[in-house]
Amino acid sequence: MADLADLKFCQELPKIELHAHLNGSLSDETLNKLLRRGPTNNSYASTIIGKGERRTMQEGFEMFRILHEIVVSPEIVVEVTKDVITDFALDQVKYLELRSTPRNVLSSGMTKRSYMEAVLTAIQRYREENEDRCRIDVRYLPSIDRSKSVEEAHETVKLAEEFSLSTNGNLVVGVDFSGNPHANDGADYIPPMMQARRANLHLAVHMAEVEGKKEETKKLLELLPDRIGHGTFISNEPGVRDVVLKKRIPLEVCVTSNIKTCTVPEDHTKHHFTWWRQEHQHPCIVGTDDKGIFATSLSNEYSIAAGALGLSRRETFNWSKEAIDHVFADIDTKSRLRQTWDDYWKSNLEVDT
Ligand SMILES: CNc1ncnc2c1ncn2[C@@H]1O[C@H](COP(=O)(O)O)[C@@H](O)[C@H]1O
Ligand SMILES: [Zn+2]
C-alpha cells in the first residue's frame, strides 16, 4: 500500500528522541576522526554491531568500556556531544534528551563536574552556531551507572541538582538510571533517585531489560518513574505490568538495541511494544538507545516499529507527535514542538489525506 510509512517517509518526519546514551551514539565518522588523532586502538573495530549481527549483553557492555577509553577529556566530550546533536538534527529530530554518565578520568584530570559542564557547553555552542538552521532543542539527563557505587550515584544527583538550578531548569531536566542490567541490585539506587525527585528532576529508569528481575522491578516501580527504559520483561509479569498499565507510565522502546543484545526475538512483530500498543493503547516512545553501537538511526527505528504495526503515514505522524506529551521540558517547549508538527502536517501531509 502506498500509504504505509516507509523509511523515506520516516526520514523526513519530524521526530523526538528521548532515549539516547551519548557515548553509544557516536557515529563512525566521529570515532574515526578521534582515532586518527591518537595511537590506533584496534579494539575500536568491535564497537559496532552490524546488520544481522547480535551480541550478548555482556559483550555489548565491553564496547562501552572501549568507547570510554577514547572519550577521555572535556574537550573531547564537547566535540562528540556536538557531533551527536548534529547527527540527530540531520535525521529531523526536533527535540533530543541526551543522557550520559559523568565520569572522572585521572589521566586527563576530567571530573564528573567538568564532564557535565562539557555536555552543557556543547549544547549551548550547538545552539549558538546553528541559530537559524536545523532547529533542535536539546536537554541533558545525567546518568546513574548501576555498575558503579551508590555513593557515586549520590554525587551525580547532587551535580544534576546544581546544574539544573544554574541553568534555570532549562537544560538539566532529569536523571537517567542505566548501566549493565546484570550489575548490582537496582533497588540500592532508589535513595539517590528519590533525592533527584525531591529536587524536581524527572526520572527515566531502565528496568526489566533482562529476565529474572521481578523483585527489583517492583521496587523501582514504587518510585513511579516518569518513563521506563525498555521494560522488556514487564509484560510477562501480571503483578508488575498492572502497575505500569494503571499508572500509564510510558515505555521507551528501542527495537534494534533489544534484538542485537539478544533480549527479544528477531521478528519485529513479536517485540513487546506491539503488545503494549495494540492490546492496551499504552504510550510507547520510539528511541535508538545507542545509534553508533547498534548501527541505527531514529528514522530506521520508526520504520521498523511502524512496519511491525502496519501503520499508515498518518498514524506514524500521530505517533511521533504523541512523544511530545512525554518530554521532560516545560509547557512552552511542548507548545512550540506541537506547532512544528502542525506546520509539517499542513505543508506535507494534509493534501494526502
Ligand atoms: C544496551 N542497553 C543499555 N542498557 C543499560 N545501560 C545502557 C545501555 N546502553 C547504554 N547504556 C549506558 O550508557 C553508557 C554509555 O553512554 P554514556 O557513557 O553514559 O554516555 C553505558 O556505559 C551504560 O551505562
Ligand atoms: Zn538505554
Side-chain angles (χ1 to χ4, degrees), residues 145-164:
D145 180 350
R146 61 182 292 164
S147 74
K148 301 286 181 330
S149 68
V150 175
E151 197 190 336
E152 284 207 41
H154 275 292
E155 277 173 45
T156 298
V157 169
K158 221 165 145 225
L159 286 165
E161 202 175 331
E162 186 187 319
F163 282 108
S164 168

Side-chain angles (χ1 to χ4, degrees), residues 38-331:
T40 313
N41 178 348
N42 291 329
S43 51
Y44 138 74
S46 56
T47 60
I48 296 168
I49 310 176
K51 202 171 159 54
E53 293 176 356
R54 304 179 98 187
R55 298 278 193 286
T56 64
M57 192 66 82
Q58 302 294 6
E59 286 167 335
F61 275 81
E62 175 59 13
M63 297 178 183
F64 294 120
R65 198 190 54 73
I66 297 168
L67 289 164
H68 288 160
E69 279 177 11
I70 299 169
V71 179
V72 287
S73 68
E75 293 73 29
I76 300 179
V77 174
V78 171
E79 192 173 351
V80 300
T81 305
K82 274 176 62 185
D83 283 4
V84 168
I85 296 172
T86 306
D87 297 341
F88 279 114
L90 291 174
D91 194 28
Q92 299 308 319
V93 171
K94 303 298 177 194
Y95 175 92
L96 164 68
E97 279 173 21
L98 208 48
R99 43 186 90 191
S100 192
T101 326
R103 276 178 290 129
N104 296 321
V105 175
L106 274 177
S107 59
S108 70
M110 181 162 74
T111 59
K112 281 191 165 59
R113 176 182 293 276
S114 59
Y115 186 103
M116 288 176 65
E117 276 167 355
V119 173
L120 296 173
T121 300
I123 296 173
Q124 275 151 344
R125 239 181 244 170
Y126 179 90
R127 192 187 288 164
E128 284 156 20
E129 290 167 8
N130 296 274
E131 208 112 40
D132 296 321
R133 52 198 161 106
C134 272
R135 171 133 196 117
I136 179 171
D137 264 307
V138 187
R139 303 291 185 273
Y140 175 33
L141 311 181
S143 300
I144 295 174
D145 180 350
R146 61 182 292 164
S147 74
K148 301 286 181 330
S149 68
V150 175
E151 197 190 336
E152 284 207 41
H154 275 292
E155 277 173 45
T156 298
V157 169
K158 221 165 145 225
L159 286 165
E161 202 175 331
E162 186 187 319
F163 282 108
S164 168
L165 287 172
S166 65
T167 59
N168 298 321
N170 284 328
L171 284 181
V172 176
V173 289
V175 163
D176 158 55
F177 177 67
S178 55
N180 188 336
H182 294 289
N184 297 323
D185 182 351
D188 292 346
Y189 298 80
I190 289 177
M193 284 193 266
M194 282 173 65
Q195 177 56 34
R197 252 274 130 77
R198 284 194 290 274
N200 287 325
L201 290 161
H202 290 88
L203 292 178
V205 180
H206 282 62
M207 62 174 86
E209 191 181 357
V210 291
E211 220 166 352
K213 297 278 174 188
K214 185 175 173 192
E215 290 312 310
E216 176 185 290
T217 305
K218 255 189 186 165
K219 291 182 195 150
L220 289 171
L221 277 175
E222 282 171 21
L223 276 168
L224 289 182
D226 300 283
R227 299 195 308 248
I228 293 174
H230 304 293
T232 312
F233 293 92
I234 293 180
S235 55
N236 314 338
E237 295 285 359
V240 188
R241 83 174 173 223
D242 293 347
V243 178
V244 178
L245 285 170
K246 191 156 166 243
K247 300 284 179 191
R248 285 186 69 77
I249 309 174
L251 293 183
E252 298 161 352
V253 169
C254 311
V255 180
T256 301
S257 161
N258 298 155
I259 291 177
K260 290 192 173 181
T261 53
C262 306
T263 54
V264 301
E266 276 183 270
D267 179 350
H268 302 148
T269 63
K270 297 204 166 70
H271 190 278
H272 54 98
F273 88 89
T274 60
W275 181 85
W276 290 95
R277 219 182 132 83
Q278 282 178 321
E279 307 289 319
H280 297 277
Q281 294 76 50
H282 192 83
C284 294
I285 311 148
V286 180
T288 51
D289 213 8
D290 302 285
K291 72 175 179 61
I293 286 194
F294 299 122
T296 190
S297 64
L298 191 56
S299 304
N300 191 41
E301 294 305 303
Y302 262 96
S303 73
I304 289 171
L309 298 176
L311 297 188
S312 67
R313 304 203 298 177
R314 184 191 187 130
E315 288 165 330
T316 309
F317 170 85
N318 287 338
W319 194 8
S320 80
K321 188 177 175 189
E322 233 176 77
I324 301 171
D325 299 342
H326 310 297
V327 307
F328 291 165
D330 58 17
I331 47 168

